[in-house]
Amino acid sequence: MSLLEIADVKKHFGSVEALRGVTFSVEPGEVVGLVGDNGAGKSTLMKTITGVYTPDAGSIRFDGIQLNGKQPGEIRALGIEMIYQDLALARMQDVASNIFLGREPTRRVLGTPIRIIDRTRIEQEADVMIRKLGARVPSVQYIVGQLSGGQQQSVAIARALTFNPKLVIMDEPTAALAVREVEHVLELIRELKRENIAIVLISHRLTDVFAVCDRIVALRQGVVVADDPIAATSMNAVVAHIVGAA
Amino acid sequence: MTLPATASPAGLPLAGNGEATLSTETATRPSLAPSWWSRLAVRFESLVVLAILIVVLSVLSPYFLSISNFLNILLATAVIGVLAYGATFVIAAAGIDLSLGSVLGLSGVVGALSINQVGLPWPFGIVLCLVTGAACGLINGLLNTRAGIPAFIATLGMLGVARGLALVLTNGVPVYGLADPVVYLGQGRPFGIPTPVIIFLAVGAIAHFVLAYTRFGKYALVIGDNESAARAMGVRVERHRVSLYVVSGTMAGIAGLLFIARVNSGDPTAGLNYELTAITATILGGTNLFGGRATIIGTLIGALIMGVLQNGLNLLAVSSFYQQMAIGSVLILAVWLDQLNRRRRMR
Amino acid sequence: MTRFRSIGIGLAVALAATGVALSAQAADKPVYGVLLKTLSNPFWGAMEKGIHDGADAAGVEYFMQAVQSDQAAEPQLNTCNTMLERKPAVMITAAINSTILLPCLKRATDMGIPVVDLDANLDHAIAAKAGVKIAFTIGSDNVAAGKQGADWLVSQLGKDAKGPVLVIEGLAGNITGQKRAKGFAEELAAIAPGLKIVASLPGDWDGQKAANITNDTLTRTPDLVAIFCANDTMALGAVEAAYAAGKGQQITIIGVDGNVDAVKSIKAGRLNASVAQLPYLVGKEAVEKAKAVLAGQKVDEFTYVPTLVLTKAVLDANKDPLLQYVK
């Protein structure tokens, strides 16, 4: 049984069919590159996996559990995390609050049933995660909106890794980065693979995909048009699949 | 798990030419960390404006600086203040509630009628005030989230419906004469402090606690900050929005109760145009009109600024026409001060 | 920012100290407190003039406050409370509705400050129950004013006249408006039963609302013969609507107040009549009588200032002695 099994998933918005029967799977610890042109359905597929959308047909199973119709919070709890292209951070909140967003630990107030957010625990654990990542964020009390782009991405990554995910989806993580930063992200992906965490890497940059992925899945107009191990394909072949020339 | 030493450490700011730039951002910059002011949830600029107003008015009028006058200010601010708490919760999540004044009026009328005409025992009247407010809030929330009607329009509609209903129920005539305990809520002075003031401050303390310390409050702010992020992180956005409107409706119900208690009558025109004043107080207190940043203590200070200004101008017998200009100017000045400081901190 | 802060705090402390010193001075001379409804209506402007002249004549000082509209009830209550801070010698108040000021006036009574019911807005029974002691009431007899309007209308149209009549009341629930409408309706029914009131709707003292009511009523009842409005602002609105509909000559329109705008309109031949309430006289006498109360003299419980029906004829002749009080 694969870690993530996507079987014939369909999704439409009004008359637009975004996903017309997508099927592929991800094994534990595997790094899968997901490529495709704009409008191919990558973003819709990811939102369907994470629970923002519900599929109209088909099934998504994670660790054997049916994901269809579950809320995003439930799906995160099962071990799927996503790092969004726009980072999905609350920029007026501090780093610690962002890392624990949606999963804040609480404690009782003076023994009453009233629960407040456990600020101390959040700050301590967020600090631990930031140090672990080696991120240059001087304090988890800083407001995210005032950090640099790279620092913000570290926060988004820290948030995705804090609750021991089994699968991390990264949506265009290198798109706006400088060369050294890109290499850093690729190294992070390799590190996660070493820890047996599966990755789905969505990217336009085929060099990055070919640098770290085990397998590459190409989407075109809502269906999978190619699903090959990296060794068995080439950049030209992939491009041909993306544009429909294959 | 650490990153290999060969890679450049995360957090170095991006540079177009591929070179890492060691800017001062990575060094400890005190203004990035929240100062103890903001941890206390107080916006410094609001306090400064309030302090300046108090000082100036003390100089201009010999009647200003007295305990009984300060109690007057608090009493005059109580109803609008409670309304402003409601506005704060809703605006924090990037919503808006224009129906606050009308719901205040309707809640008060329902409570007054239940005691005065239906003859229910007074505790029922009090509960009905709150329930009416909450129900209106629920309708607002559902219209916004289920029917997809923008909050501005949904609450604008409620403004008309609630006000009209209040007039229909009373035939336009105030319903005079409520039970003594209810009147005490509005006119009593336990330990010399008017009861509405005690309620205003107590409700404020609870509201502040909820907004600043609980998940409920945190999620309200995050929804206003970045709704799609909140949704992706598992926050039940629609459900939360509805609860926020129920909260603001309930606050309008409390304010309605305070109003009828103060004047011992259910007045269908109560709260006319109060929502704008409540929203002004909220903004004066540092709440971001577009959501994501809000505190109740800030709103309390904002309400006090307006109350102090109004009271001072009354003591100086300034015409009410000039008073309106003064209030508008203070709002612009306070927000401008905030913008200046914010920009300075960014550099 | 820290430097700014410390300077600010220093300045604040210095000025606060000055403020405390200044507030130590007490006000010795008795000052009268006057609380009107709103200055947006010329009726109250005339009343203020009367108060001003009355205070001059009586040699007393006063301070006057009003709120932004004649519907801002709670703000008027807050203003009343603030006025008590100045410990006025007497509180002369024109309440927006019959109950809103009672908590404040009770405090005034407890403080020993006499309360004057200016323009007869308070319901005496309810006020007494609330613990408010009213020194005296002064205003126009609003019922008599309505009656006068009806009498004049019948004098113009004849006792046997037949036709539909519209009544536009004041702010819903306001005792002044209720009395005027009641006075008009009862007198009309008594002396000219052929003139039937087809609608009696609240215009909230607002010209726009009155215009809309007139338009809607004309749609249902195009042969309207007369409109009675509980104040001039509304009457002027009704006049515009009637003329716009081409029925200006057909309909006899009567207002109440006799304010500056109404006088202009009557002289121009548009508004037919207004029952002038002489607010100037009310204000002037209110101050004179308040002085008497403070001097311990006995004053009538109710003082009704006479009203005068203003028409083009009366204004052109300019002979009536009461005209001097029309401001």
Side-chain angles (χ1 to χ4, degrees):
Chain A
M1 184 190 63
S2 309
L3 180 63
L4 177 69
E5 281 171 0
I6 300 170
D8 202 28
V9 162
K10 297 192 171 105
K11 180 70 187 168
H12 69 90
F13 300 102
S15 57
V16 176
E17 284 189 66
L19 302 173
R20 300 188 294 134
V22 175
T23 302
F24 74 92
S25 55
V26 179
E27 305 302 321
E30 199 183 12
V31 182
V32 174
L34 183 63
V35 300
D37 214 349
N38 292 336
K42 309 192 293 291
S43 180
T44 309
L45 180 61
M46 292 308 111
K47 286 190 174 157
T48 311
I49 295 173
T50 54
V52 176
Y53 298 149
T54 309
D56 298 327
S59 86
I60 305 178
R61 302 185 88 86
F62 183 74
D63 241 357
I65 303 169
Q66 180 76 254
L67 292 190
N68 292 34
K70 280 196 169 17
Q71 294 288 326
E74 295 174 87
I75 295 180
R76 278 182 89 203
L78 288 172
I80 300 181
E81 288 280 2
M82 179 154 170
I83 301 173
Y84 293 81
Q85 191 171 6
D86 66 356
L87 301 182
L89 294 172
R91 287 179 168 77
M92 296 190 227
Q93 298 286 327
D94 58 40
V95 171
S97 296
N98 267 284
I99 290 179
F100 279 86
L101 186 47
R103 308 211 271 216
E104 298 82 2
T106 56
R107 64 178 177 82
R108 287 169 180 274
V109 184
L110 303 168
T112 63
I114 304 171
R115 295 194 147 266
I116 59 171
I117 296 178
D118 194 339
R119 194 70 216 159
T120 329
R121 220 181 109 185
I122 286 184
E123 286 185 10
Q124 280 172 359
E125 296 186 17
D127 199 61
V128 163
M129 182 49 75
I130 292 286
R131 301 286 140 254
K132 249 174 102 178
L133 271 183
R136 280 272 204 260
V137 174
S139 162
V140 294
Q141 291 180 359
Y142 280 17
I143 302 294
V144 164
Q146 292 175 337
L147 299 177
S148 73
Q151 286 168 314
Q152 290 188 10
Q153 192 179 53
S154 310
V155 174
I157 294 174
R159 179 173 69 189
L161 299 179
T162 297
F163 286 84
N164 299 316
K166 296 183 191 145
L167 167 68
V168 178
I169 305 171
M170 298 191 186
D171 191 352
E172 303 286 357
T174 57
L177 298 185
V179 167
R180 275 194 210 177
E181 299 257 284
V182 169
E183 185 48 45
H184 163 249
V185 172
L186 297 182
E187 200 38 59
L188 171 68
I189 293 177
R190 290 183 197 110
E191 177 65 41
L192 291 175
K193 184 184 161 66
R194 280 195 283 274
E195 308 213 349
N196 208 38
I197 296 173
I199 311 252
V200 172
L201 171 65
I202 303 174
S203 181
H204 272 110
R205 297 165 49 122
L206 293 182
T207 26
D208 296 345
V209 172
F210 273 80
V212 290
C213 295
D214 301 320
R215 234 169 77 228
I216 184 163
V217 170
L219 272 190
R220 190 168 167 271
Q221 289 178 354
V223 284
V224 171
V225 292
D227 185 348
D228 304 305
I230 284 288
T233 185
S234 71
M235 264 198 247
N236 286 335
V238 168
V239 171
H241 280 298
I242 291 175
V243 302
Chain B
M1 168 194 56
T2 50
L3 298 161
T6 46
S8 62
L12 280 181
L14 23 120
N17 56 7
E19 277 192 306
T21 55
L22 273 173
S23 81
T24 51
E25 278 182 320
T26 53
T28 326
R29 222 175 115 201
S31 58
L32 279 181
S35 62
W36 71 276
W37 280 113
S38 58
R39 302 227 98 185
L40 200 59
V42 166
R43 197 176 64 133
F44 182 64
E45 293 80 6
S46 314
L47 267 187
V48 166
V49 170
L50 183 62
I52 291 178
L53 270 179
I54 292 179
V55 162
V56 168
L57 288 170
S58 307
V59 170
L60 289 177
S61 170
Y63 306 101
F64 184 80
L65 216 55
S66 75
I67 297 200
S68 89
N69 191 48
F70 279 156
L71 287 177
N72 259 347
I73 293 174
L74 285 169
L75 179 57
T77 310
V79 171
I80 292 260
V82 170
L83 223 54
Y85 296 153
T88 307
F89 275 98
V90 162
I91 295 178
I96 190 105
D97 191 346
L98 297 175
S99 67
L100 289 171
S102 302
V103 174
L104 182 164
L106 179 61
S107 310
V109 155
V110 168
L113 282 174
S114 68
I115 298 175
N116 186 289
Q117 314 239 291
V118 180
L120 290 179
W122 62 268
F124 280 90
I126 292 181
V127 167
L128 277 172
C129 279
L130 272 57
V131 165
T132 307
C136 291
L138 179 64
I139 296 175
N140 277 334
L142 291 175
L143 284 174
N144 181 233
T145 58
R146 293 280 176 88
I149 300 176
F152 189 95
I153 297 178
T155 58
L156 189 59
M158 177 62 74
L159 179 156
V161 170
R163 181 66 63 195
L165 189 56
L167 288 166
V168 163
L169 288 174
T170 56
N171 209 16
V173 179
V175 175
Y176 187 81
L178 310 172
D180 282 345
V182 175
V183 175
Y184 188 77
L185 266 181
Q187 301 178 26
R189 287 191 172 226
F191 312 109
I193 304 177
T195 330
V197 173
I198 297 178
I199 296 178
F200 169 45
L201 296 174
V203 171
I206 297 172
H208 175 75
F209 174 80
V210 169
L211 186 59
Y213 293 100
T214 65
R215 270 167 139 177
F216 185 89
K218 177 71 77 179
Y219 289 171
L221 290 165
V222 172
I223 291 174
D225 191 331
N226 188 338
E227 184 182 318
S228 56
R231 196 188 304 277
M233 291 302 119
V235 172
R236 307 289 290 266
V237 173
E238 276 69 35
R239 222 176 256 197
H240 210 76
R241 275 235 154 85
V242 172
S243 356
L244 289 171
Y245 281 103
V246 170
V247 166
S248 79
T250 309
M251 290 291 179
I254 297 175
L257 172 63
L258 285 180
F259 190 102
I260 64 172
R262 270 196 89 191
V263 304
N264 195 12
S265 99
D267 188 338
T269 63
L272 206 57
N273 296 329
Y274 276 22
E275 49 279 331
L276 289 180
T277 316
I279 293 172
T280 306
T282 310
I283 306 300
L284 268 176
T287 298
N288 185 330
L289 187 58
F290 305 105
R293 191 175 51 238
T295 72
I296 294 289
I297 292 193
T299 299
L300 187 112
I301 294 179
L304 280 178
I305 289 175
M306 299 187 70
V308 161
L309 189 56
Q310 193 104 65
N311 169 273
L313 294 174
N314 278 339
L315 283 176
L316 296 171
V318 171
S319 147
S320 68
F321 306 144
Y322 288 109
Q323 286 194 24
Q324 299 199 57
M325 288 180 67
I327 292 175
S329 314
V330 167
L331 175 64
I332 294 176
L333 270 171
V335 175
W336 184 45
L337 242 183
D338 180 57
Q339 291 284 71
L340 283 178
N341 264 323
R342 216 167 279 283
R343 259 180 248 148
R344 217 182 31 83
R345 262 185 260 140
M346 282 299 206
R347 260 179 254 128
Chain C
M1 200 58 191
T2 18
R3 205 169 296 166
F4 173 99
R5 240 187 263 195
S6 30
I7 294 179
I9 292 173
L11 192 66
V13 170
L15 285 174
T18 325
V20 168
L22 277 174
S23 64
Q25 303 170 355
D28 287 309
K29 211 165 164 205
V31 182
Y32 293 15
V34 177
L35 178 57
L36 301 182
K37 287 188 189 177
T38 168
L39 291 176
S40 330
N41 186 326
F43 177 88
W44 300 103
M47 173 115 33
E48 214 241 317
K49 266 226 200 91
I51 290 173
H52 178 88
D53 291 350
D56 268 352
V60 300
E61 267 185 47
Y62 74 98
F63 65 100
M64 197 268 317
Q65 297 259 232
V67 288
Q68 70 210 56
S69 80
D70 47 26
Q71 300 197 25
E74 204 201 5
Q76 201 192 34
L77 173 59
N78 291 333
T79 306
C80 184
N81 278 332
T82 311
M83 288 172 74
L84 285 183
E85 285 302 308
R86 299 180 60 165
K87 304 221 187 339
V90 62
M91 278 292 276
I92 303 176
T93 60
I96 283 178
N97 66 42
S98 50
T99 56
I100 192 77
L101 292 184
L102 293 179
C104 169
L105 296 178
K106 176 175 190 313
R107 272 183 70 208
T109 301
D110 292 343
M111 287 164 74
I113 300 174
V115 170
V116 173
D117 180 12
L118 185 64
D119 204 41
N121 283 290
L122 298 177
D123 181 319
H124 282 240
I126 297 179
K129 255 182 73 191
V132 176
K133 189 162 172 303
I134 302 176
F136 66 91
T137 301
I138 180 166
S140 320
D141 185 340
N142 287 304
V143 175
K147 193 164 165 293
Q148 261 182 305
D151 289 338
W152 181 82
L153 179 65
V154 173
S155 78
Q156 297 296 302
L157 299 181
K159 279 198 170 72
D160 301 319
K162 286 193 180 24
V165 173
L166 167 66
V167 170
I168 304 185
E169 303 164 2
L171 184 62
N174 177 276
I175 204 170
T176 308
Q178 281 170 345
K179 284 186 175 160
R180 292 174 189 175
K182 187 159 162 280
F184 177 84
E186 284 176 358
E187 181 71 353
L188 193 68
I191 61 175
L195 291 170
K196 295 216 180 309
I197 296 178
V198 293
S200 188
L201 298 164
D204 292 350
W205 307 132
D206 182 71
Q208 273 290 0
K209 282 215 179 87
N212 291 336
I213 291 173
T214 305
N215 276 332
D216 293 339
T217 310
L218 277 174
T219 312
R220 268 187 13 249
T221 320
D223 54 343
L224 207 59
V225 302
I227 306 178
F228 174 77
C229 298
N231 86 346
D232 279 337
T233 315
M234 298 190 297
L236 293 171
V239 162
E240 297 310 316
Y243 273 85
K247 309 230 178 207
Q249 300 298 324
Q250 164 195 322
I251 307 177
T252 308
I253 304 182
I254 308 161
V256 179
D257 275 351
N259 71 29
V260 168
D261 298 332
V263 166
K264 284 201 198 118
S265 185
I266 293 173
K267 283 189 177 159
R270 287 169 76 84
L271 179 63
N272 297 99
S274 176
V275 184
Q277 294 251 285
L278 309 179
Y280 175 86
L281 197 52
V282 172
K284 195 154 179 290
E285 283 200 30
V287 177
E288 288 166 8
K289 287 196 154 55
K291 187 172 182 205
V293 166
L294 287 176
Q297 295 163 17
K298 199 170 177 322
V299 162
D300 292 331
E301 204 189 331
F302 289 86
T303 302
Y304 287 125
V305 168
T307 52
L308 166 70
V309 179
L310 295 178
T311 61
K312 195 161 187 320
V314 167
L315 287 169
D316 288 343
N318 205 1
K319 285 214 204 92
D320 198 310
L322 287 177
L323 278 173
Q324 63 168 310
Y325 297 120
V326 176
K327 303 260 180 210

